[in-house]
């Protein structure tokens, strides 16, 4: 099923002529940079999920808060939908434009407003790159913990919108655990500060509600993040396995030993080969799976933990265990993992990155299921996996120039996500639902739960103008989607507990 | 895996029936668990709905670091089950009495001394099951560490004090207990303590609690045996009984006892200087959470106290609201814009105002 906005399933969108909107916005906000010619709009037609492209009606590139405020007020008055985007690195189509909508690009809000090393916080604008925060904080021996693989390019506003993660999440948490406050503008153009520099605020946890809300409840204009002291040391072990299942079991054994690694990542043979071919990380290309286990903290503790983890890995049947001998080798080990996506991209004209989570114990069963599905659909799948927290990233290799192959990849991706839900997991761990997984939301949530999500949306955006069609499917879409997957009004695999 | 030592009981049907009845009659409900935190908030009029019969660990997988537990389960039972696997609730929730339940822990959202280093209740909530205003069961989040599908209604329930729905079950992330724990007492001044904590905070030290009161800084070090021993040597001071932290958390220290004046909890940004509150000696406060959570007994003007906290970027909560004039309210009033969206959320999620009406604020 095509994931582009379908008014029949996703709801009618207001119809305003482009000329009218351009004229109104130009008149009321004369200093706002508006793009409306097709050649100017073309660079903005997709985010990181580039298989799907839509030319927005127009693009607004504000530089001041008052411009954003005025833009939202006008769009609210004219009933024109607003899709907000930052660096556009999102992988679930969360910032996919709408033909009838304004694309609000926040990339010019790229200032680090203030760093307070003693309070260990940074106030930043939404367009600041994730890595730039850690770079600025490193002067004080501090850093910002969540580290999506795209951290060199992705913006913190988008991280908040998608509740982004990364390899450090098991120990240091997702974006939701590392943000203290956000300022937002509502669709009515009103300012609201949520959270504070204190560790809690009176009332409901609206801050948690904003995290991962995909630009549907408000436009984020400033973010206060927590900074952490840089660990004194970080060391990484690489363990090779001749069997994926053994590698999966080793993950559980490490945690059972009472150790929470700073990062615990797994790659299968296809991903290992791709990364090695691209980065020359020194990976064992014959291994069926490798585990990268990073231990960070105070030097003495890290050395103790390395001894323990080595013993655990040996008992778990690792065929080879290597400790990165210096910082350069440690960086190389991680470079292979962090570049696994582009590395896999070199093996195939296109790839489609999935993002499901499962309980770790289900890993062998789910990997086998993916392998069966891969054979059934005739497309190769490489697996990289945040093993510590059960977040899988199967990469489906395909060629969009071959008739029907994109659709096959989509169908295979959908099946993989449903497999994750069936195993007790979720259709997304850190990339968000966006437009990509809108149908699979109907597999994870029933109609009552989806109605409650719509109730939350209605509290913040009664006219449904902020990023319509993302994150939460309409019940009409679920009914349509259900026609393919739901039997006798039952969810797929009703016998399996989903909680 | 469930722990056979403790009784389990599924009372979902009767809870559902009671909510449905209340919905049909449009009559308000007052949610109660162990009734240990009833003092915390505004009084609620309504028929009592008790979660106490809905109890037991439904799923505990130590390897996955996950536990799912029914709302009425005594906190002490949950903690005992985790301890037998060498694990813990890292947010160290206060009990305030032997009957404390996990449902009340989530609903009130209170965290203990480890909070600035480990995170709050909400940081460990992975999923909830709840009954909505029509008695329909909803599941949000789940039993996996990462889940960003849909809006985060699980965390929205934390601290909402039951005003948005009846929590029936919760899934939590648990953590291994640290390998070593040692507490210290240093006789240093408040100013010196706050400045030292700001410096230590920028270093990767194994700190897990830091409280100044009674003329001394009290510290807890937790982590690997080597780093705890090294840090003890570096900091010096006298050894302190680890039981101190439980006394602090449970408000059993002499400070909390026998005082007729209202008890206030101030929540402030890190590195906030000692506050100048009229008639109050800054050294009479307990400065917990490395200064981010402060306790004081004071018969001061509520508005003045709240405005002093607001100027510092924080807020003030009264833990003995019965000692305040009714108009004052235990919780800091919300900014008008924030209040507007609270009203709208309540209207959307509990349109008949059945659940704990007025518990947080008179308006909802």
């Amino acid at each position: 099923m095509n994931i582009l906005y379908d008014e029949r399933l996703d709801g009618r969108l207001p119809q305003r002529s482009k000329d009218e909107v351009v004229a109104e916005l130009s008149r009321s906000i004369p200093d706002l940079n508006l793009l409306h010619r097709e050649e100017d709009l073309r660079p903005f037609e997709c985010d990181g999920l580039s298989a799907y492209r839509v030319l927005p009606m127009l693009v607004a590139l504000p530089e001041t808060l008052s411009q954003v405020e005025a833009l939202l007020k006008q769009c609210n008055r004219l009933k024109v939908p607003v899709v907000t985007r930052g660096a556009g690195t999102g992988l679930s189509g969360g910032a996919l434009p709408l033909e009838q909508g304004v694309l609000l690009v926040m990339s010019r809000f790229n200032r680090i407003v203030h760093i307070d090393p003693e309070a260990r916080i940074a106030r930043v604008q939404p367009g600041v790159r994730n890595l730039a925060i850690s770079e600025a904080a490193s002067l004080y021996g501090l850093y910002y913990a969540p580290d999506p693989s795209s951290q060199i390019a992705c913006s913190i506003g988008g991280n908040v919108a998608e509740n982004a993660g990364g390899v450090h999440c098991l120990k240091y948490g997702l974006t939701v655990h590392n943000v203290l406050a956000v300022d937002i503008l509502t669709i009515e153009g009103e300012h609201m500060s949520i959270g504070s520099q204190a560790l809690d605020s009176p009332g409901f946890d609206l801050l948690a509600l904003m995290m991962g809300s995909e630009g549907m409840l408000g436009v984020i204009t400033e973010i206060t993040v927590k900074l952490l002291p840089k660990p004194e040391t970080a060391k990484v072990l690489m363990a090779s396995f001749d069997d994926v299942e053994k590698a999966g079991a080793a993950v559980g054994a490490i945690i059972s030993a009472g150790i929470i690694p700073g990062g615990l990542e797994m790659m299968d043979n296809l991903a290992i080969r791709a990364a090695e071919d691209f980065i020359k990380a020194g990976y064992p290309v014959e291994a069926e799976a490798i585990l990268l286990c990073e231990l960070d903290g105070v030097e003495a503790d890290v050395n103790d933990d390395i001894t323990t983890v080595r013993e655990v890995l040996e008992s778990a049947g690792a065929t080879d265990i290597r400790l990165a001998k210096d910082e350069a080798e440690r960086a190389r080990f991680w470079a292979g993992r962090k570049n696994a996506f582009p590395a896999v991209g070199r093996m195939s004209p296109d790839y489609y990155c999935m993002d499901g989570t499962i309980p770790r114990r289900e890993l062998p069963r789910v990997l086998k299921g993916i392998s069966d599905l891969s054979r059934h659909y005739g497309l190769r799948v490489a697996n990289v996996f945040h093993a510590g927290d059960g977040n899988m990233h199967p990469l489906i290799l395909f060629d969009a120039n071959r008739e029907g192959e994109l659709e096959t990849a989509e169908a295979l991706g959908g099946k993989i996500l449903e497999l994750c839900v069936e195993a007790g997991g979720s259709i997304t761990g850190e990339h968000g639902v966006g437009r990509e997984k809108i149908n699979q939301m109907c597999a994870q949530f029933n109609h009552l739960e989806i109605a409650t999500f719509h109730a939350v949306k209605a509290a913040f955006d009664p006219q449904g103008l902020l990023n319509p069609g993302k994150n939460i499917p309409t019940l009409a879409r679920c009914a349509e989607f259900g026609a393919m997957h739901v039997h006798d009004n039952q969810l797929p695999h009703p016998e399996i507990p989903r909680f | 895996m469930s722990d056979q030592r403790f009784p389990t009981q599924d009372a979902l049907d009767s809870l559902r029936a009671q909510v449905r009845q209340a919905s049909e009659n449009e009559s308000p409900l007052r949610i109660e668990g162990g009734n240990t935190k009833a003092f915390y908030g505004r009084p609620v009029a309504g028929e009592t709905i008790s979660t106490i019969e809905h109890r037991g660990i439904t799923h505990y997988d130590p390897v996955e670091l996950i536990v799912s537990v029914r709302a009425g389960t005594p906190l002490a039972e949950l903690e005992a089950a985790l301890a037998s696997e060498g694990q813990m609730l890292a947010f160290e929730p206060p009990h305030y009495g032997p009957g404390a339940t996990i449902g009340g822990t989530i609903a009130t959202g209170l965290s203990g001394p480890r909070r600035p280093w480990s995170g709050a209740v909400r940081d460990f909530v992975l999923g909830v099951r709840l009954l909505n205003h029509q008695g329909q069961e909803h599941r949000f989040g789940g039993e996996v560490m990462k889940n960003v599908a849909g809006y985060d209604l699980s965390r929205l329930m934390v601290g909402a004090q039951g005003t948005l729905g009846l929590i029936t079950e919760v899934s939590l992330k648990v953590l291994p207990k640290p390998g070593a724990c040692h507490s210290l007492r240093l006789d240093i001044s408040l100013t010196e303590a706050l400045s030292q904590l700001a410096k230590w905070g920028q270093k990767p030290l194994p700190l897990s609690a830091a409280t100044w009161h009674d003329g001394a800084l009290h510290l807890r070090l937790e982590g690997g045996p080597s780093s705890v021993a090294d840090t003890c040597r570096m900091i010096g001071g006298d050894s302190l009984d680890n039981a101190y932290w439980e006394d602090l958390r449970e408000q059993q220290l002499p400070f909390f006892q026998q005082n007729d004046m209202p008890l206030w909890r101030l929540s402030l940004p890190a590195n906030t200087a000692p506050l100048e509150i009229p008639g109050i000696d800054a050294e009479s406060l307990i400065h917990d959470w490395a200064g981010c959570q402060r306790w004081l007994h004071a018969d001061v003007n509520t508005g003045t106290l709240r405005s002093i906290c607001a100027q510092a970027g924080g807020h003030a909560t009264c833990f003995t609201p019965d000692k305040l004039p009714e108009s004052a309210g235990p919780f800091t009033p919300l900014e008008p814009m924030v209040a507007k969206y609270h009203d709208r959320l309540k209207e959307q999620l509990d349109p008949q105002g059945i659940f704990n009406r007025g518990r947080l604020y008179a308006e909802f």
Side-chain angles (χ1 to χ4, degrees):
Chain A
M1 182 185 286
N2 193 320
I3 64 162
L4 296 182
Y5 198 96
D6 179 345
E7 290 198 32
R8 194 176 55 88
L9 297 178
D10 298 312
R12 287 277 297 162
L13 288 174
Q15 301 295 320
R16 289 274 170 191
S17 83
K18 178 169 168 169
D19 291 346
E20 182 196 0
V21 177
V22 171
E24 277 289 312
L25 292 178
S26 307
R27 184 190 57 75
S28 57
I29 326 169
D31 57 346
L32 176 65
N33 190 354
L34 276 182
L35 309 178
H36 51 81
R37 292 183 310 184
E38 185 179 332
E39 62 267 36
D40 295 332
L41 299 177
R42 194 60 70 190
F44 296 96
E45 65 186 351
C46 67
D47 60 9
L49 184 62
S50 56
Y52 301 95
R53 294 162 190 269
V54 174
L55 216 54
M57 175 196 274
L58 54 92
V59 169
L61 289 152
E63 291 181 351
T64 66
L65 274 185
S66 54
Q67 288 174 343
V68 182
E69 182 187 324
L71 177 74
L72 290 170
K73 281 184 173 158
Q74 285 301 329
C75 289
N76 192 42
R77 187 177 66 81
L78 297 167
K79 297 189 175 57
V80 175
V82 178
V83 177
T84 309
R85 71 167 256 171
T89 57
L91 290 168
S92 60
L96 185 68
L98 286 169
E99 273 172 41
Q100 301 98 311
V102 170
L103 188 70
L104 167 57
V105 181
M106 293 297 283
S107 56
R108 293 183 181 181
F109 290 80
N110 59 0
R111 210 159 54 81
I112 294 178
V113 181
H114 181 60
I115 291 184
D116 182 341
E118 295 204 331
R120 298 180 305 286
I121 55 161
R123 277 174 50 215
V124 299
Q125 292 186 329
V128 171
R129 290 176 307 114
N130 173 297
L131 192 59
I133 303 174
S134 288
E135 283 168 354
S138 72
L139 283 175
Y140 312 102
L142 302 171
Y143 79 115
Y144 174 66
D147 58 339
S149 292
S150 58
Q151 69 180 149
I152 194 166
C154 63
S155 60
I156 187 73
N159 289 179
V160 170
E162 299 295 348
N163 192 11
V167 302
H168 279 116
C169 283
L170 177 66
K171 187 166 178 182
Y172 298 103
L174 295 146
T175 306
V176 67
H177 302 105
N178 288 279
V179 169
L180 285 170
V182 295
D183 284 357
I184 69 161
L185 277 166
T186 67
I187 184 63
E188 288 154 50
E190 295 177 314
H191 291 263
M192 177 158 57
S193 289
I194 298 173
S196 75
Q197 291 184 15
L199 294 179
D200 44 46
S201 299
F204 299 148
D205 194 343
L206 298 185
L207 190 60
L209 207 49
M210 289 297 143
M211 300 291 139
S213 62
E214 307 204 336
M216 294 180 68
L217 304 180
V219 175
I220 296 153
T221 58
E222 190 176 291
I223 300 149
T224 304
V225 299
K226 259 187 358 190
L227 301 174
L228 297 181
K230 273 198 234 173
E232 189 177 288
T233 191
K235 295 185 178 176
V236 63
L237 284 163
M238 178 168 66
S240 311
F241 291 86
D242 56 12
D243 179 88
V244 173
E245 205 162 318
K246 282 186 198 164
V251 171
I254 292 170
I255 288 162
S256 294
I259 290 171
I260 307 292
L264 188 53
E265 298 287 307
M266 187 168 146
M267 295 165 75
D268 73 0
N269 182 266
L270 193 53
I272 296 168
R273 284 176 186 273
E276 184 56 21
D277 193 37
F278 183 36
I279 296 287
K280 307 282 179 286
Y283 288 172
V285 290
E286 299 308 318
E288 282 304 309
I290 57 168
L291 273 185
L292 291 172
C293 177
E294 179 158 292
L295 299 156
D296 64 357
V298 180
E299 180 101 34
D301 290 348
V302 170
N303 290 338
D304 293 347
D305 287 352
I306 289 217
T307 308
T308 311
V309 170
R310 230 181 227 288
E311 287 166 10
V312 169
L313 289 169
E314 277 165 11
S315 319
T319 53
D320 184 40
I321 302 168
R322 281 162 54 193
L323 175 66
K325 62 180 184 298
D326 53 23
E327 194 49 31
E329 190 170 43
R330 175 180 161 260
R332 219 165 34 246
F333 282 2
W334 279 120
R337 166 61 188 89
K338 289 235 169 192
N339 287 287
F341 294 3
V344 167
R346 294 167 79 237
M347 298 173 75
S348 165
D350 298 281
Y351 73 92
Y352 187 30
C353 171
M354 306 308 294
D355 165 45
T357 58
I358 54 166
R360 281 187 304 263
R361 64 177 178 275
E362 296 287 347
L363 180 62
R365 181 162 79 92
V366 173
L367 283 176
K368 183 174 179 309
I370 291 176
S371 159
D372 292 347
L373 286 167
S374 160
R375 261 196 309 278
H376 177 79
Y377 283 88
L379 293 176
R380 290 180 298 166
V381 180
N383 283 290
V384 293
F385 184 47
H386 298 304
D389 43 33
N391 188 189
M392 311 189 75
H393 291 309
L395 302 167
I396 301 169
L397 278 54
F398 71 100
D399 182 351
N401 287 326
R402 286 197 193 160
E403 177 86 24
E405 209 158 271
L406 169 63
E407 290 71 23
T408 307
E410 268 181 7
L412 170 55
K415 287 286 176 200
I416 291 174
L417 295 181
E418 286 164 32
L419 184 61
C420 290
V421 173
E422 186 194 321
S426 166
I427 58 168
T428 171
E430 58 183 3
H431 294 177
V433 174
R435 201 54 204 166
E436 180 197 25
K437 296 164 197 135
I438 199 79
N439 291 333
Q440 279 74 34
M441 282 291 283
C442 313
Q444 189 169 336
F445 295 99
N446 67 31
H447 71 281
L448 288 172
E449 291 151 358
I450 284 172
T452 301
F453 288 142
H454 284 295
V456 170
K457 168 77 168 165
F460 286 87
D461 177 16
Q463 298 197 91
L465 294 175
L466 284 170
N467 214 7
K470 309 292 168 57
N471 199 5
I472 311 297
T474 58
L475 293 174
R477 175 165 281 275
C478 283
E480 178 83 5
F481 181 67
M484 296 191 299
H485 295 268
V486 178
H487 181 65
D488 283 343
N489 204 26
Q490 292 283 308
L491 285 171
H493 308 282
E495 73 286 2
I496 291 163
R498 290 186 298 128
F499 180 70
Chain B
M1 188 179 115
S2 68
D3 196 312
Q4 300 305 312
R5 286 173 297 168
F6 306 116
T8 66
Q9 192 172 323
D10 185 341
L12 192 61
D13 285 345
S14 69
L15 290 171
R16 192 188 285 125
Q18 196 178 351
V19 176
R20 280 189 182 155
Q21 191 65 54
S23 176
E24 277 166 28
N25 301 343
E26 300 203 3
S27 59
L29 291 171
R30 188 183 74 86
I31 304 170
E32 185 179 287
N35 212 23
T36 55
K37 298 175 185 77
F39 67 88
Y40 183 68
R42 294 162 39 85
V44 174
E47 187 192 343
T48 298
I49 181 166
S50 171
T51 59
I52 211 78
E53 305 286 319
H54 191 58
R55 62 182 288 171
I57 293 169
T58 55
H59 180 220
Y60 176 30
D61 189 338
V63 178
E64 299 276 343
L65 303 174
I66 280 163
V67 67
S68 290
V69 57
R70 293 195 185 108
T73 311
L75 195 47
E77 285 184 11
L78 172 60
E79 288 174 334
L82 299 178
S84 64
E85 294 290 334
Q87 297 187 333
M88 62 176 184
L89 298 174
F91 52 91
E92 228 179 346
H95 292 223
Y96 298 145
T101 63
I102 190 66
T105 301
I106 304 303
T108 52
L110 298 170
S111 309
R114 203 185 278 104
R115 193 266 173 260
W117 295 273
S118 285
V121 187
R122 54 94 90 171
D123 294 314
F124 292 88
V125 169
L126 300 173
V128 296
R129 283 172 186 256
L130 56 90
L131 292 176
N132 76 352
H133 64 106
Q134 291 176 311
Q136 295 159 322
E137 190 174 35
H138 287 57
R139 293 168 285 192
F140 296 109
E143 281 196 330
V144 284
M145 294 286 166
K146 288 161 87 178
N147 181 356
V148 296
Y151 302 125
D152 193 347
L153 280 142
S154 318
R155 288 192 178 87
L156 181 66
M157 297 301 147
V158 180
Q161 299 237 37
T163 55
L164 297 177
L166 175 70
I167 299 169
T168 57
E169 189 167 325
V170 58
S171 294
L172 296 162
K173 177 180 175 177
V174 297
L175 284 179
K177 286 192 171 185
C181 174
H182 191 83
S183 300
L184 297 171
R185 182 188 152 104
L186 277 81
D187 290 308
I188 56 174
S189 72
L190 172 60
T191 322
E192 203 182 332
L194 291 177
S195 124
Q196 194 59 260
L197 286 167
K199 281 183 206 140
W200 286 335
Q202 294 168 69
K203 293 185 167 45
L205 296 178
L207 268 182
S208 75
T211 300
W212 188 93
H213 92 278
D214 202 15
L217 178 60
H218 303 68
L219 295 173
R220 182 172 61 190
L221 303 165
E222 285 182 326
S226 309
S227 66
V228 168
D230 289 352
T231 312
C232 280
R233 271 193 296 278
M234 182 196 89
I235 290 177
D238 302 320
S239 279
L240 170 74
D241 188 341
N242 286 327
Y244 168 85
W245 302 105
E246 189 176 327
D247 290 343
L248 169 68
R249 185 191 75 201
E250 297 303 329
Q251 303 190 344
Q252 296 298 315
L253 293 175
F255 170 92
F256 292 100
Q257 310 296 315
Q258 293 162 352
N259 195 313
D260 292 334
M261 286 188 289
L263 173 65
W264 288 92
R265 169 188 180 266
L266 315 183
S267 176
L268 297 160
N271 209 26
T272 302
L275 295 182
E276 289 182 19
I277 305 165
I280 302 289
D281 173 7
E283 301 209 345
S284 70
L285 273 65
I286 288 188
H287 290 68
D288 192 14
W289 292 5
C292 291
Q293 172 173 264
R294 302 182 189 181
W295 297 98
L296 100 139
H297 289 285
D299 221 348
V300 292
N301 177 285
T302 304
T304 308
L305 182 63
R306 291 202 158 126
S307 133
I308 290 168
C309 287
Q311 275 168 26
H315 62 101
T317 303
C318 185
F319 265 56
T320 51
D322 54 327
K323 293 179 183 172
L324 289 185
E326 205 187 317
S327 60
F331 304 110
T332 293
L334 301 170
E335 295 290 324
M337 274 293 289
V338 177
K340 173 168 140 186
Y341 286 95
H342 275 67
D343 288 343
R344 286 195 188 175
L345 266 176
K346 175 74 174 177
E347 172 63 29
Q348 288 288 340
L349 298 183
D350 181 17
Q352 297 163 295
I354 286 172
F355 292 121
N356 277 2
R357 192 188 290 174
R359 170 77 172 160
L360 282 170
Y361 294 97
E363 297 75 27
F364 57 84

